[in-house]
Amino acid sequence: MNIVRTAAELRRQLALWHMRDRTIGFVPTMGALHQGHLSLVRIARERAERVVASIFVNPAQFAPGEDFERYPRQPEKDAGMLREAGCDLLFLPEVETIYPPGHTTFVEPGGPGGPGEGLEAAHRQGHFRGVATVVCALFNLVRADVAVFGKKDAQQLAVVRKMVRDLHIPVDVVAGETVREEDGLAMSSRNAYLSPEERRAAGVLYRALSAAERAVHAGERRGGEVRRILRETLDAEPLARVEYAEVVDAHSFQPLDTLSGDIVLPLAVRIGGTRLIDNFQLAVEG
């Protein structure tokens, strides 16, 4: 596996692959990798002849007071994990590479009725602006045929897909399933922040989603009732502070009163000082 840090180095390597008509899969990450990330690399490996991963802790997607400075960084360990997973090229850019001096251009993913509104966008001001901008920049640098994102960040995935459609970016966006711990907690780099007591409490996210899923499978179609089930389960955990527990359309991420079609049950919950997100994605018959 080659490791490059500059745009020029990246372009030189990619030019060789493009000349040989190699298909390229891309997995953008912020590092602190776990098995969820590696599952995305394996999906890219199945769909493309060469795999590129990036590690970049993007300052533009962190709001003031969030955990940018303490976000876990372990590039050497991550590189070894990527090598074992079958990655061919690791892009490790500095901030100045992604945002050159004098950078002033950002991608605004908001808009009425779209996935860039509400939920994460409402609770983390400017978050999706930063996500869309860095993903657009990385797409332009890597010029991949396939890009793989995890379903755990469901709203982010919807924002990226809409950006790709709206801006005519020639990449196929593929979703990888959420990888979970034994108690159902979604794997996340931020899980490392949890104390043992908080880690036990964090299982409540999966329990709440499972309870809501059972209700939907049993025939519940009232959005308000599904929200009540989510909140009731979460509120029973003393260490949990709920930011949102919703029922939304899978494409627009707008709230639903009546469940039908593809839906998402997204959660954002603070366990102690750690903010965790998760979701279930369901196909609901009318």
Side-chain angles (χ1 to χ4, degrees):
M1 183 182 75
N2 293 333
I3 300 176
V4 299
R5 298 179 182 274
T6 69
E9 291 176 303
L10 178 67
R11 290 191 183 101
R12 279 196 294 271
Q13 178 60 68
L14 295 175
L16 296 174
W17 293 345
H18 286 302
M19 280 194 316
R20 296 168 185 166
D21 291 326
R22 304 297 192 194
T23 54
I24 296 173
F26 178 43
V27 181
T29 82
M30 292 207 304
L33 303 184
H34 50 69
Q35 288 302 315
H37 296 108
L38 302 185
S39 73
L40 306 182
V41 173
R42 288 190 285 270
I43 292 171
R45 178 91 270 166
E46 292 168 358
R47 291 175 174 260
E49 296 167 285
R50 296 290 184 268
V51 176
V52 178
S54 65
I55 296 176
F56 180 64
V57 183
N58 176 31
Q61 70 188 67
F62 288 80
E66 291 189 339
D67 58 341
F68 173 70
E69 294 297 337
R70 72 185 187 109
Y71 194 86
R73 292 164 171 85
Q74 51 184 41
E76 292 184 3
K77 180 180 178 182
D78 289 345
M81 295 170 69
L82 288 168
R83 188 178 292 111
E84 290 295 319
C87 183
D88 298 293
L89 179 65
L90 171 58
F91 183 38
L92 273 173
E94 299 293 336
V95 172
E96 293 75 17
T97 297
I98 301 299
Y99 302 111
H103 177 278
T104 59
T105 304
F106 289 86
V107 178
E108 293 285 357
E117 281 197 330
L119 302 180
E120 289 297 287
H123 287 270
R124 302 182 68 188
Q125 292 297 319
H127 174 67
F128 284 136
R129 181 179 189 252
V131 169
T133 300
V134 75
V135 170
C136 186
L138 289 168
F139 281 172
N140 286 331
L141 286 163
V142 176
R143 295 187 295 151
D145 301 282
V146 176
V148 189
F149 292 79
K151 287 186 176 181
K152 184 178 81 71
D153 296 288
Q155 190 175 10
Q156 171 181 283
L157 176 62
V159 166
V160 169
R161 281 179 161 157
K162 191 167 194 311
M163 179 186 72
V164 165
R165 289 194 301 270
D166 289 352
L167 300 184
H168 308 284
I169 300 174
V171 64
D172 182 18
V173 176
V174 175
E177 295 295 334
T178 301
V179 178
R180 300 183 178 277
E181 305 284 0
E182 287 187 9
D183 65 348
L185 179 66
M187 289 189 177
S188 169
S189 302
R190 289 185 169 94
N191 290 353
Y193 298 159
L194 299 168
S195 70
E197 181 185 11
E198 290 167 347
R199 174 61 188 82
R200 288 190 292 273
V204 74
L205 277 77
Y206 185 73
R207 294 197 299 274
L209 291 168
S210 298
E213 180 186 45
R214 288 193 296 271
V216 173
H217 286 334
E220 182 58 66
R221 296 295 181 266
R222 295 169 295 171
E225 179 60 16
V226 176
R227 290 181 187 93
R228 185 196 65 78
I229 293 169
L230 289 169
R231 290 297 300 248
E232 185 176 80
T233 307
L234 293 167
D235 288 342
E237 169 52 59
L239 295 184
R241 291 180 291 130
V242 182
E243 287 193 359
Y244 60 76
E246 260 297 348
V247 184
V248 300
D249 176 83
H251 308 290
S252 69
F253 266 72
Q254 298 305 299
L256 294 172
D257 293 324
T258 302
L259 278 56
S260 181
D262 295 329
I263 70 167
V264 179
L265 311 177
L267 305 179
V269 181
R270 289 190 181 273
I271 304 291
T274 303
R275 186 177 189 272
L276 302 176
I277 64 170
D278 201 353
N279 71 86
F280 275 9
Q281 300 174 37
L282 308 175
V284 178
E285 297 181 1

